[in-house]
Amino acid sequence: MALELKNPHSVMAALQSRPIDVTEIRLTAGAVQGSWGDVADEARRQRIPVVIKKSAPQKMNRRQSEDQGRRTAGSVALVKPRIPSALSELFPDPGQDAQTGGLWLALDCIQDPHNIGAIFRTAAFFGVRGIVLTKDRSAPINATVYDVASGGMEAVPFAVETNLSRSISQAKETGVWIMGTSEHAEEDVSAYSQDRPWLIVIGNEEKGLRRLTLEQCDVVTRLTPTGIVDSLNASVAAGIMIARFSPFGPGIK
């Protein structure tokens, strides 16, 4: 079943990476310029139908006028969701040298699709090599995730697994080290660096990491607050961890 994507940047990324999965572009009359205009041009080049929808004139305030041609203008694209990768495709083959570097993520029951989308966007920016998501008690990978990711869903391989603990165990067999995150951890994240390939595990927005997940972690660290706010949104915390431990990020080597 196709998703209705409203972010032209998400649509363009799909057109460029897997045009066969983009079935139709539906534009409002006022969205033929700017980002949506670029989408339409690329779709026509790929021989994908572009339909211009006529809409009755509406009185808009300045903010609404500025939004014309962007995701709130009523334009959508019908795009099939990506098929998740097998877990074995995300990590180095056992026996290979995992020390070539890299960063992976695991999301333990993240339930807000906006958080998942934001994490994928940051992961794509920093070149994360793969993301493992849980099948149960997690937000579905829906149109909201794709739109918030703004193209990141096309750039980062991901697997959806029933048993995260077992998946982490398989990752460890390839030479990847596992770092859990918890506000209750004794060690601050500053105790570790980019000296090895890491899989960083981000927990549920309210409950954090599950017990079996924690037991699989080689280390568990926290982001220690230095101000009056003592907690972070899951996607913000993930972004800080990605920036710190990505081989392409500004973290401490």
Side-chain angles (χ1 to χ4, degrees), residues 115-153:
N115 280 336
I116 295 178
I119 289 170
F120 265 91
R121 183 171 185 171
T122 305
F125 184 88
F126 281 105
V128 168
R129 295 180 61 177
I131 297 179
V132 183
L133 302 101
T134 49
K135 183 177 181 180
D136 301 320
R137 296 187 292 277
S138 296
I141 307 300
N142 57 19
T144 298
V145 173
Y146 277 78
D147 279 338
V148 174
S150 197
M153 287 299 301

Side-chain angles (χ1 to χ4, degrees), residues 87 90-91 105-107 130-134 158-159 161 164 167 199:
L87 186 69
L90 266 60
F91 297 97
L105 296 179
L107 308 183
I131 297 179
V132 183
L133 302 101
T134 49
F158 66 94
E161 297 293 315
L164 183 60
S167 301
L199 183 152

